[in-house]
Amino acid sequence: TPLHVIAPASASSTSLASTSSMARDLLYQDQQAAMENRALFEQTLLQSKKNKELKAPKLRAKQAKSGTGFGSGASKVNPNVQLAKEQAKVVHRDGVLRIDGALSPELADELREYVLQQQILAAVRTEESLDASRAFYGVENQRKSRCDLQLSLLRGGYAADGNGNGGDDAGSQKHVLADALQHLLGEDGTLRFLYENLVTLKGEFYELAAVITDPGSTRQKVHPDLPFQDTAPLYVIFLALQDVDESMGPTSFLLRTHTAKENAIFKDPSVEVRDAQLSSADCRLSTLKKGDAVLFDARILHCGNANDLENGSTRALFNFSFRNPTFTGDLGYKGSIRPGYTQAMNLGDISDALVLYGNGADGGDRDPFAKYGDGLR
């Protein structure tokens, strides 16, 4: 059989490939510039009305009657159950709710230090192998000075990847992530009963990440997180791990834009119609104190603002979400979570694991999510 020798690429073909690559890069840069310009124009539209701060509503739990409540995990007369009902009403009405002091300042400090350490480790691993980036970064991995860092549930975090533990000293490490989830979603967690009201114990754990922006991060265009559905499909948490002021690019939320009517306007082919929507919107800025959280319906229009290059500083948000089990179709949105955790657990599973963690009954290693592994497979 004769040998077929492949000739080396000619100078002209190499030059053509280089020109094509340059053209793609220029096109990408043009698209990014156009998006940034549009985002800045949207900012002027939203500022045509004075933006207000998103504030936590003053809610009072209604007196519960004996024998009332929701969910198998809720106490019949627990006042937190009644408060969650009032909070859920605000979420349904406005599309977003601020919860002050969802996490203690001390835990927020510990979790911030932990996620920034994980970010450094992810950068090192990605430097070693670009293919590894999908293990660490979620839906926001391309924008300047911004990333969604997908977290591991194991004690030791990324140090436990591939071996199921954080090394010889794993037993002596604090499980900061589990401590935070215990405070938020444990038996009497600050967000537990609200999520149980919104998605029940069957709600799928859909995202687990840290959203990190650095000075120089550009402003986002106004957007919902997913295509519109009549039933709210997903409820998302952004929790501040440090104070977030205007220079750090807090998220803007357009109240009550999670409806079919507002989505139709947002999708209108007329730019004038869409611009008028933004000009008249009730826009609220989520400047937050350390440990404060916002819970939002993923259909609401919102955008992250620019983290100022000179006056800003690193903004880290703890981010997780639960899916509404009454919506069974494709969300049209791939959340930021390690692939091995996808469809692996729900709110009930998280709750059960945290009960064991709180009781110290998880086999002695204090790693309540060990059976779910590192999330890479």
Side-chain angles (χ1 to χ4, degrees), residues 12-13 21 41 79 92 101 117-118 121 145-146 166 169 172 192 212 241 249 310 313 315 323 356 366 375:
S12 60
S13 64
S21 176
F41 179 66
H92 295 317
Q117 288 173 345
Q118 297 298 288
L121 185 52
S145 303
R146 178 185 174 106
D169 63 342
S172 63
R192 160 62 189 274
I212 304 171
L241 299 183
E310 295 183 0
S313 57
R315 181 194 67 155
R323 176 176 173 149
L356 294 176
R366 304 276 295 161

Side-chain angles (χ1 to χ4, degrees), residues 9-240:
S10 66
S12 60
S13 64
T14 302
S15 175
L16 183 62
S18 177
T19 301
S20 176
S21 176
M22 289 176 60
R24 284 196 302 271
D25 289 344
L26 288 172
L27 178 60
Y28 175 77
Q29 292 172 19
D30 288 344
Q31 291 172 336
Q32 291 299 108
M35 290 175 63
E36 289 179 20
N37 288 335
R38 173 61 190 178
L40 291 173
F41 179 66
E42 290 178 348
Q43 184 176 26
T44 65
L45 294 175
L46 292 173
Q47 290 177 342
S48 61
K49 293 174 62 177
K50 182 174 175 57
N51 288 187
K52 300 177 181 178
E53 181 183 20
L54 179 67
K55 294 186 176 181
K58 295 180 180 179
L59 300 174
R60 294 178 60 185
K62 294 182 179 179
Q63 187 65 37
K65 296 180 180 179
S66 179
T68 63
F70 61 81
S72 59
S75 168
K76 293 182 179 180
V77 292
N78 191 330
N80 291 328
V81 173
Q82 300 305 312
L83 177 60
K85 288 183 177 181
E86 299 305 310
Q87 290 175 319
K89 290 177 183 177
V90 176
V91 176
H92 295 317
R93 183 192 70 201
D94 293 342
V96 61
L97 170 73
R98 174 173 176 160
I99 303 111
D100 288 345
L103 192 65
S104 71
E106 295 77 18
L107 274 175
D109 284 339
E110 291 179 8
L111 187 55
R112 186 178 196 274
E113 180 181 5
Y114 170 77
V115 299
L116 294 181
Q117 288 173 345
Q118 297 298 288
Q119 184 185 29
I120 292 170
L121 185 52
V124 171
R125 297 275 181 87
T126 305
E127 184 92 15
E128 294 169 353
S129 171
L130 210 50
D131 293 338
S133 65
R134 290 186 180 181
F136 303 109
Y137 302 111
V139 295
E140 283 281 11
N141 189 28
Q142 300 298 321
R143 291 180 57 237
K144 182 180 178 183
S145 303
R146 178 185 174 106
C147 74
D148 285 2
L149 195 67
Q150 298 175 154
L151 299 174
S152 167
L153 281 167
L154 291 180
R155 177 188 294 275
Y158 297 152
D161 283 354
N163 58 24
N165 60 68
D168 293 338
D169 63 342
S172 63
Q173 296 177 19
K174 288 191 68 174
H175 200 330
V176 178
L177 186 57
D179 289 342
L181 289 173
Q182 178 77 285
H183 192 99
L184 298 167
L185 299 172
E187 281 189 288
D188 289 307
T190 55
L191 302 176
R192 160 62 189 274
F193 298 110
L194 176 55
Y195 260 121
E196 191 173 345
N197 184 294
L198 294 170
V199 303
T200 75
L201 292 175
K202 295 181 180 179
E204 178 191 340
F205 194 40
Y206 199 76
E207 293 176 287
L208 177 66
V211 178
I212 304 171
T213 65
D214 293 313
S217 174
T218 55
R219 189 181 185 280
Q220 292 178 311
K221 289 173 60 179
V222 173
H223 65 282
D225 276 345
L226 38 70
F228 184 80
Q229 307 291 344
D230 289 328
T231 299
L234 192 71
Y235 293 100
V236 185
I237 281 289
F238 282 168
L239 189 147

